[in-house]
Amino acid sequence: MAEPPLTENYHKETATRRHIPAHITFWDETLRDGEQMPGVHFSAEEKLAIAEKLAEVGVEVINAGIPVVSKDEEAMVHRIAHAGIKAHILAAGRTVPGDVEAIIRTGATHAAIFVAASEVHLRYKLRMSQDEVVKATVDSVRRAHEAGLHVAFVTEDTTRAPMDFVEKLYLAALDAGADRLVVSDTVGVMSPITFRWFLREFSARVHPKDWSVHCHNDFGMATANTIAAMEEGVNAPHVCVNGLGERAGNTSFEEVVMSLEILYGIKTGIKTEKLYELSRLVERLSGVPLPPNKALVGYNAFSHEAGIHTHGVLRNSLTYEPLQPEVLGRKRRFILGKHTGRAAIQEKLKESGISPTDDQVARLTELVKTTEEHKGKELRNRMVADYQNEFEQPGLKESEFWTLAGQVGIERPKSP
Ligand code: MN
């Protein structure tokens, strides 16, 4: 009997329906949208360490931040822009003259100029008419372009905006010198098929040559939507390491890279063997722990406990793993626990050069299972309680707020 094919894969059947560009530019948002995650803030050294690692891994564009946020932020972006990092350093700002001037002062070579596009944002947030938005866009994009910057024009909430206005606004931005166009699914309301439709319409009207999508994960579809967008020809996807970002986060960098590499067989130019290291660095510096079951970079992504799974993986890892952990710079783990089977015990002893009898293996397996089953869960419970306590109120604590308020003469109201 012939060997079964190890890589049978239906993605090949749909390959002709995809228009993924030959060159993909990863645009990382970890230091901007990632830092906007509640309770997250990076020091200049931390931002530099992450930016250097991103460049080393192969990210082409790094959004270093929004300089107009504060004098410190402007200084940080300036420092990153002058640190000799081998990537394009980008600074972001609104379609407001002061924002654009702050971007220019940082010395960043790339700018992202953003404004909202949807009715709800125009009416309630910006309080601007469509014509005023177009004018602010043209003025800001032109100023950044004339200052010699590579300009990306971004709209917030593009996917809830009227298409006619989207068309008018982006054509005006292109005319004013925008080099790259960014479509944002700011509140994560797209699904892959709807997003492909939206982007096809956008493309037919605006004819973007260099374009990005910025997706959010509110319904857990950020990665799927980003891949769908690339199937429509988007070449510069926005990503965040570990899927950090506002609310439910942005598209996760490692998920997009590995989906393209492994599922579609596309060379992304990313050094995938460094992705795990990058993920752990960002986990540590952001203070946002990854769930163990996070795709690809979670602790359990290549761990096996259940007897049937362990047995299969020991025979051939493809039985229960879609890719080799080494591709991400990781190692496979076999966990001994309640669901352990004899194969794992046998393998563990074999690694130590021991050849046990079948009876010894059976008895030891039983002992391992019952020992684990009856172990207390105090450590885990304590860890989860600390985690819940911290993440239910990240940022400034209630008591700290009223202490600070006291410093400007405001007293905490007595509860009735
Ligand atoms: Mn965002």
Side-chain angles (χ1 to χ4, degrees):
M1 209 167 67
E3 285 282 310
L6 295 182
T7 54
E8 188 68 62
N9 136 21
Y10 295 119
H11 290 290
K12 278 183 204 148
E13 298 295 324
T14 57
T16 54
R17 290 180 232 163
R18 301 198 298 256
H19 311 284
I20 297 174
H23 180 80
I24 299 165
T25 297
F26 283 97
W27 168 332
D28 184 85
E29 284 279 321
T30 309
L31 301 180
R32 203 277 305 168
D33 209 320
E35 201 195 30
Q36 282 172 220
M37 193 161 181
V40 176
H41 51 90
F42 298 119
S43 68
E45 280 68 30
E46 289 168 342
K47 276 202 176 197
L48 271 172
I50 294 171
E52 267 159 18
K53 185 59 77 182
L54 286 167
E56 191 188 316
V57 166
V59 167
E60 231 174 283
V61 178
I62 298 172
N63 189 343
I66 302 178
V68 85
V69 163
S70 68
K71 279 286 146 209
D72 280 354
E73 181 77 357
E74 185 180 322
M76 264 190 228
V77 176
H78 187 277
R79 200 169 147 194
I80 296 167
H82 294 84
I85 291 166
K86 290 188 175 45
H88 300 302
I89 302 303
L90 178 146
R94 298 164 298 177
T95 52
V96 171
D99 287 34
V100 181
E101 297 312 314
I103 293 171
I104 295 168
R105 282 197 301 273
T106 65
T109 57
H110 283 47
I113 309 278
F114 64 88
V115 72
S118 67
E119 293 279 284
V120 66
H121 275 254
L122 262 61
R123 193 177 311 163
Y124 297 107
K125 187 186 80 175
L126 295 177
R127 308 210 169 164
M128 284 167 85
S129 69
Q130 292 188 344
D131 288 344
E132 287 168 330
V133 168
V134 172
K135 185 178 181 309
T137 296
V138 168
D139 291 347
S140 306
V141 169
R142 185 168 290 145
R143 169 71 182 120
H145 173 71
E146 282 171 359
L149 291 165
H150 178 283
V151 184
F153 174 64
V154 185
T155 66
E156 288 180 274
D157 211 13
T158 329
T159 54
R160 292 193 302 177
M163 191 62 85
D164 287 343
F165 177 54
V166 168
E167 175 184 352
K168 187 175 165 192
L169 185 55
Y170 279 85
L171 287 176
L174 277 178
D175 203 47
D179 299 283
R180 177 173 287 155
L181 303 179
V182 184
V183 168
S184 305
D185 187 25
T186 301
V187 289
V189 293
M190 287 291 101
S191 69
I193 199 160
T194 313
F195 205 24
R196 280 193 72 163
W197 172 85
F198 180 97
L199 293 169
R200 198 170 299 175
E201 186 68 22
F202 178 87
S203 181
R205 292 174 181 229
V206 180
H207 308 290
K209 285 185 196 65
D210 186 339
W211 52 327
S212 306
V213 288
H214 178 92
C215 295
H216 275 270
N217 204 32
D218 295 74
F219 291 90
M221 288 193 275
T223 296
N225 288 339
T226 300
I227 299 285
M230 297 181 76
E231 291 174 344
E232 282 302 317
V234 164
N235 60 298
H238 283 204
V239 290
C240 270
V241 177
N242 296 345
L244 293 188
E246 300 261 12
R247 303 184 314 283
N250 287 106
T251 303
S252 140
F253 176 40
E254 51 285 348
E255 290 175 14
V256 173
V257 171
M258 297 319 293
S259 300
L260 293 170
E261 293 262 347
I262 302 294
L263 303 181
Y264 291 180
I266 289 170
K267 286 274 155 268
T268 59
I270 296 298
K271 296 195 175 80
T272 65
E273 71 282 4
K274 290 176 190 272
L275 284 175
Y276 188 58
E277 197 185 319
L278 171 67
S279 167
R280 288 295 157 202
L281 174 75
V282 170
E283 181 184 47
R284 191 160 53 78
L285 298 183
S286 64
V288 180
L290 282 184
N293 57 340
K294 170 79 171 67
L296 303 157
V297 287
Y299 280 103
N300 291 352
F302 298 94
S303 299
H304 310 277
E305 179 185 311
I308 295 170
H309 287 235
T310 304
H311 192 197
V313 170
L314 284 170
R315 293 271 172 87
N316 186 319
S317 71
L318 280 168
T319 51
Y320 288 106
E321 285 175 357
L323 73 160
Q324 302 286 314
E326 288 77 14
V327 176
L328 286 149
R330 303 198 60 176
K331 285 198 173 70
R332 173 179 303 117
R333 302 184 308 174
F334 294 108
I335 311 297
L336 297 182
K338 177 186 167 182
H339 308 96
T340 291
R342 275 174 289 180
I345 301 292
Q346 195 126 37
E347 177 67 16
K348 187 171 172 60
L349 292 171
K350 199 173 99 189
E351 278 170 13
S352 307
I354 296 166
S355 317
T357 65
D358 287 353
D359 179 56
Q360 283 176 315
V361 170
R363 280 163 55 208
L364 185 50
T365 305
E366 224 24 61
L367 283 171
V368 166
K369 288 165 75 136
T370 47
T371 302
E372 263 304 294
E373 232 173 332
H374 293 104
K375 232 181 218 171
K377 284 183 257 187
E378 293 80 12
L379 179 64
R380 282 282 175 106
N381 291 345
R382 213 161 48 235
M383 224 174 76
V384 173
D386 282 349
Y387 178 89
Q388 289 178 344
N389 194 31
E390 170 60 20
F391 280 84
E392 269 167 18
Q393 201 194 355
L396 202 71
K397 303 292 174 234
E398 188 69 11
S399 57
E400 290 176 299
F401 175 79
W402 290 110
T403 306
L404 294 179
Q407 291 177 19
V408 299
I410 298 169
E411 254 185 69
R412 184 174 195 164
K414 302 260 179 288
S415 43

